[in-house]
Amino acid sequence: MKKIVFVAFCVFISIIVSGQTTILINNVQIFDGVSEKLVTGNVLVQGDTISRISSAPIPVNRSAATKIIDGKGKFLMPGLIDAHWHTMMCAMPEMVLLTADIGYINLVAAHEAGKTLLRGFTSVRDLAGPSFGLKRAIDQGLTPGPRIYPSGAMISQSGGHGDFRMPYEVPSAPGAPLSHGDEMGAGAIADGVDAVLKRSREQLMMGATQLKLAAGGGVSSNYDPIDVSQYTEEEFHAAVEAAENWGTYVTVHAYTPRAIQAALRAGVKCIDHAQLIDDATAKMMAEKDAWLCIQAFLANEYSNPQATADGREKQKMVASGTAKAFQLAKKYKIKTAWGTDMLFDPASTKNQGAILTTLTPWYSNFEILKMATSVNGELLAFCGPRNPYPKPLGVIKEGAYADILLVDGNPIQDLKLVADPDKNFLLIMKNGIVYKNLLGN
């Protein structure tokens, strides 16, 4: 893997130096991210964009700046999208994250971002953490990685899911310095309407494409039971108003009906998790046309590590509601996106694609691939004018960003192919740049 990352980076640099702008991929089976029907054809990439798709040969100027790739009849699809990712937190143990300096955290995150891209994930929605700097470095070509839609710090009440303080830091004196979690931008503690409004505006100022608030208890947080609700409707509404003033939206971490309903009544447009949802709340989500970004939390080998017995019990409680949550989402036809929510375990990030395959009890392979491409792309674009990447994502169509995977096999028939990207992803392209090519041309 280390060798592949290094080679990919060298290829990236060589493309920039050579000025290569045109790539023609011939002879592929095209999955466009929307339709189950595959189309045999050719795809022309110019710059960062898919400029032409045709079943007939596409003429090109065969100059040094044009690369022609023989797709050998392989399966071509959009890059994968993880709509609940933690760029800065996924590959580092929690205690290291809470004590390390931000320089080290950025270097670890940048290293993991390169590996994320080589797993075929070309875009992520980052839902808590100081990812603004890494996003900028990736966009400028300083380091390889997926596109990042950052939320910035998760805004949380005292004692909430985003309160990373140690017990000895409580009570906080008036005018006390910020906690380490606040200083590094992982969480932003805000109590009361005015404080929530201020913290929301700060994240938007820093470049948040959407805001994230903690609406209820969490598995990985130390002080809040799963059943507790966090924030009042007035506090939620302050964040919603700030986001809407910037043309974007608020998503919340929430498992229970009470937490979800309070957020929805305040105008929140996306719920992340919702494993303990009930029928009435699912119906309310559908009526308000809210998004659900759900994860297949199953207390299995892919679960985030829990250091305490209490954390493991909370994890089991959430997992017990996962099947019902999926069923209710389908019953009420809720707009459903998918993400992994991987945290604090560098040994587990390799399973990012494998986690996608755990959706098979509720969705067909096609529905899963569509969710992880075009549907997740719709959610990314839901931030409206705050969208830093205005062309379509998660689709293979003319005018879309050239985020392309070439797979050795058909994942609509065998979804497990995405679980082993090292072996099965023959070509990985993001933004028209080839980061991996095992086709030999």
Side-chain angles (χ1 to χ4, degrees):
M1 173 60 78
K2 292 180 180 178
K3 182 178 179 181
I4 292 176
V5 173
F6 177 74
V7 170
F9 184 73
C10 290
V11 169
F12 172 50
I13 294 299
S14 69
I15 289 172
I16 292 175
V17 172
S18 66
Q20 180 176 301
T21 58
T22 302
I23 300 174
L24 176 61
I25 306 174
N26 286 323
N27 185 26
V28 286
Q29 300 294 310
I30 302 169
F31 167 60
D32 65 2
V34 179
S35 172
E36 189 170 4
K37 182 180 179 180
L38 303 184
V39 176
T40 301
N42 315 295
V43 178
L44 181 66
V45 174
Q46 293 183 303
D48 63 0
T49 305
I50 297 172
S51 63
R52 187 174 176 189
I53 301 169
S54 177
S55 57
I58 299 175
V60 293
N61 180 10
R62 293 177 177 267
S63 65
T66 299
K67 181 174 179 61
I68 299 176
I69 296 174
D70 179 6
K72 301 179 180 179
K74 302 299 183 181
F75 184 98
L76 185 144
M77 63 175 286
L80 295 167
I81 299 171
D82 192 330
H84 192 128
W85 186 243
H86 291 288
T87 308
M88 312 302 291
M89 302 180 185
C90 62
M92 189 176 299
E94 183 176 13
M95 191 49 60
V96 176
L97 188 71
L98 290 175
T99 55
D101 67 271
I102 193 64
Y104 176 73
I105 292 170
N106 273 307
L107 288 171
V108 172
H111 178 71
E112 185 59 42
K115 295 197 290 184
T116 304
L117 182 58
L118 290 180
R119 291 191 290 268
F121 287 86
T122 52
S123 298
V124 298
R125 189 176 65 135
D126 187 276
L127 288 190
S131 60
F132 299 118
L134 180 55
K135 174 192 180 299
R136 183 177 179 181
I138 291 171
D139 288 348
Q140 291 180 354
L142 301 178
T143 189
R147 286 185 188 79
I148 298 174
Y149 281 73
S151 300
M154 175 167 55
I155 300 169
S156 168
Q157 69 177 44
S158 293
H161 183 55
D163 187 343
F164 300 107
R165 291 177 296 174
M166 301 297 180
Y168 63 78
E169 297 178 89
V170 177
S172 57
L178 295 174
S179 69
H180 183 64
D182 276 66
E183 281 187 333
M184 66 180 283
I189 299 172
D191 296 302
V193 169
D194 290 345
V196 171
L197 188 60
K198 179 179 180 180
R199 293 301 192 198
S200 297
R201 288 170 173 169
E202 287 174 347
Q203 303 316 306
L204 293 164
M205 171 188 171
M206 294 295 291
T209 50
Q210 62 284 319
L211 297 177
K212 182 186 179 183
L213 273 67
V219 172
S220 60
S221 43
N222 295 322
Y223 313 120
D224 51 345
I226 289 294
D227 62 288
V228 303
S229 296
Q230 298 168 14
Y231 278 137
T232 63
E233 289 181 37
E234 292 77 16
E235 288 170 313
F236 283 131
H237 184 71
V240 167
E241 190 170 24
E244 289 182 348
N245 284 344
W246 283 59
T248 186
Y249 69 98
V250 173
T251 190
V252 295
H253 161 103
Y255 291 115
T256 66
R258 180 175 175 177
I260 295 168
Q261 289 187 24
L264 291 173
R265 284 193 296 268
V268 167
K269 298 297 186 184
C270 183
I271 306 296
D272 272 79
H273 306 317
Q275 272 72 17
L276 302 179
I277 196 171
D278 61 15
D279 192 280
T281 309
K283 184 179 180 182
M284 183 178 180
M285 285 191 66
E287 290 172 347
K288 290 186 174 293
D289 199 29
W291 277 88
L292 169 65
C293 183
I294 196 167
Q295 301 72 39
F297 290 152
L298 298 169
N300 57 12
E301 67 271 28
Y302 304 127
S303 299
N304 291 323
Q306 301 300 322
T308 66
D310 180 59
R312 290 187 288 273
E313 285 303 311
K314 291 196 288 185
Q315 194 170 63
K316 291 177 183 177
M317 185 186 304
V318 167
S320 69
T322 292
K324 182 179 179 181
F326 278 112
Q327 292 161 4
L328 288 172
K330 295 188 73 174
K331 175 182 176 179
Y332 287 104
K333 296 180 173 58
I334 297 171
K335 295 182 294 189
T336 305
W338 166 86
T340 55
D341 192 23
M342 303 185 79
L343 284 168
F344 309 139
D345 189 9
S348 295
T349 55
K350 66 181 185 298
N351 298 321
Q352 192 174 10
I355 292 173
L356 186 61
T357 70
T358 62
L359 299 178
T360 52
W362 306 284
Y363 298 97
S364 69
N365 291 351
F366 160 68
E367 290 173 323
I368 294 168
L369 287 175
K370 181 179 178 180
M371 189 183 299
T373 53
S374 65
V375 175
N376 276 2
E378 289 180 40
L379 178 56
L380 295 185
F382 194 49
C383 61
R386 301 286 74 76
N387 189 352
Y389 312 107
K391 297 178 186 178
L393 288 169
V395 290
I396 301 296
K397 74 173 188 177
E398 293 177 2
Y401 283 112
D403 293 359
I404 294 172
L405 307 179
L406 209 58
V407 187
D408 190 11
N410 184 338
I412 293 179
Q413 297 173 355
D414 181 9
L415 189 62
K416 291 182 179 179
L417 291 167
V418 304
D420 191 355
D422 286 355
K423 176 183 177 182
N424 300 317
F425 289 176
L426 303 178
L427 180 129
I428 296 174
M429 174 188 290
K430 176 205 154 194
N431 222 38
I433 297 170
V434 176
Y435 287 86
K436 176 182 177 182
N437 185 356
L438 300 183
L439 292 166
N441 56 61

